[in-house]
Amino acid sequence: MAIIGIDLGTTNSLACVYRNGKAELIPNALGDCKTSSAVSVLEDGTVLVGAAAKERLVTHPEATAASFKIWMGTEKRITLGDRTFKPEELSALVLRQLLADAEAYLHEPVTEAVISVPAYFNDDQRCATKLAAQLAGLTVKRLINEPSAAALCHRYSVQSGDGLRMIVDFGGGTLDVSIVDCFENIIEITAIAGDNRLGGDDIDRAIAAHFCKENGLVEERLDRALRSSLLHQAETAKIALSSAPAASISIQQDEFTYSLVLTNPLLRRLCEPIFQKVREVITRAMRDRDRTAPIQDVILVGGSAQLTVFGDFLQELFGRRPHVAAAPDEIVALGVGLCAGIKERAEELQDLVMTDVCPFSLGVATYSHAGDKTPHMAVLIPRSSMLPASRQERFVTLHDGQKYLRFEIYQGEGYFASENLYLGELEVRVPPGPAGRHSALVTFTYDIDGILHVAAKSSGGDCRDKLILNPNLHLTPGELDQAMARIQQIQLAAHDSQRDQALLDRALALYERCRGRNRDLCGELIGFWRQVLEQGSRSSREQNYTEVKSRLDWLEEQMNQDPLEDFWRDTEE
Ligand code: ADP
Ligand code: MG
């Protein structure tokens, strides 16, 4: 049974399988390897995932969600129609769709996956991702950092040489920067830095805000659909600017038309605050690398890395224009696919070694003396330690007769514990005695997935450890079953019906373009296909799909290849 690799993105998600000696992207029912990470609830309660859902952001914003990955691991709840979802539940629905498409493509059940996460995801976000996979019925074989996956693909597929490289992954909602040392068959991640709330979505919002300012509109007062449409147009215009000098945006409200012409210089100005944050992250990564050898190469990954203005900005920063990876939005998925291949012990990948580092420091809150009121961090595992990492430290009692030692666990770089992310706590009992007599040994283990395990043992005897981690993300088996049932109950709009509908839409569009004999042929195909869709069984759809599709392909080829000849033939008749 295949293990699939999944790039669960903020904007787009991809699935990949390793077979016949290479990583192969898995197309969805629409034949597209990218599935929009968007979920929409239909009137009858079934759920749409992917491009069709993304379109409903504009038409049915109250029943549709996208970019929910940025809420993973938080308490945020998202209401779609009359149902409320946790971010990991929405991610689980995206995973279920990817899974269904993979099973249809591979003709076998899929239960195991390697999933990529932003390198800068913290413990809660990683646990939420694992939970999402469990809810979708998947066993996670490994969580891999997105830039590490990109590095793996770049090293293996592009056969790039030895040396130090920087990988900048600038997507829809996250920025990840990592520094990778490649030497022979070893890929060593030496430093990572990032921002979980920075990406192309912010650029779209900056454009929309500027649009409103210029047109004297108050963004918050626009209705939801108009706002979605504005953001959608902002994104389209932004992308268009990579190949055109200008792009326009316009919306209509109360019979007035408002518009804006976007150009690269204007976009650059709007992006400046965002790029300054990118600059900080890059600087942080450079400071953290343990080798001061020069960077040989900067590789740009992710959708937003394709922006012309982003390239310009980096060129000014580095003095040289970095090159955009061959397939910037597929490289992570291909790397995750390779990682799945390594998990399956594919022979050709056997001697590939990849090491990763932890993005955050981990420690416990500790008091310097008995009167100390503000605990600070005692760091057990400093950031950029190589994974897996395990460290121990002994802590003693501070008061006479103290009955237990309590450890609050934090993740982050702040000096005071309260400045960091609270992960959970652990308590061990100690026998009574004077201050400093008894102690406990705390062990932190940071596993290869970047998830923390903590244990503590008291000197006083065999006291039991108790770890209380974020209860929303660490469900009991009973709770997990319930949560899973809730997600599995939801009907995903049949993926073949999306595919079949798309084929009909394509035929209808072609019909408008055709004339004469081709139009008749196209009309016959439409009539036939509609009949199959309305009356046919599932198996008759399956049987006829390929036939109808290949006839349409043929017609389309006719139309595209020789319009002039077609024209003469049409008019002769
Ligand atoms: P994620 O990994 O976050 O899911 P992607 O790497 O697929 O996201 O990037 C999505 C982001 O890239 C979106 O904000 C989208 O607007 C932007 N994007 C996609 N294509 C282009 C392009 N050609 N030029 C500029 N931005 C792009
Ligand atoms: Mg991505």
Side-chain angles (χ1 to χ4, degrees), residues 108-142:
E108 59 175 320
V110 175
T111 57
E112 295 179 322
V114 175
I115 301 180
S116 61
V117 290
Y120 222 57
F121 252 21
N122 63 34
D123 203 78
D124 281 351
Q125 292 166 312
R126 284 168 198 266
C127 290
T129 305
K130 273 202 157 169
L131 181 55
Q134 284 176 314
L135 296 180
L138 276 171
T139 306
V140 179
K141 299 298 278 186
R142 164 105 192 248

Side-chain angles (χ1 to χ4, degrees), residues 287-303:
R287 267 202 210 104
D288 271 11
R289 82 205 144 124
D290 54 1
R291 218 152 66 94
T292 45
I295 302 280
Q296 270 195 353
D297 218 351
V298 178
I299 298 149
L300 301 185
V301 176

Side-chain angles (χ1 to χ4, degrees), residues 7-14 34 37 54 69 146 169-174 199-204 235-236 238-240 242 301-308 328-329 332:
D7 169 8
L8 186 60
T10 312
T11 320
N12 296 303
S13 295
L14 296 87
K34 278 196 278 188
S37 307
K54 188 179 177 186
K69 179 174 166 181
E146 288 166 8
D169 181 349
F170 197 27
T174 54
D201 289 354
D202 297 285
I203 300 177
D204 303 344
E235 182 186 14
T236 313
K238 169 190 78 176
I239 293 175
S242 294
V301 176
S304 304
Q306 298 170 70
L307 278 175
T308 312
D329 31 22
V332 169

Side-chain angles (χ1 to χ4, degrees), residues 337-351:
L338 282 171
C339 188
I342 293 175
K343 281 279 155 202
E344 284 174 332
R345 303 180 196 288
E347 212 170 305
E348 345 45 286
L349 301 176
Q350 238 168 25
D351 35 315

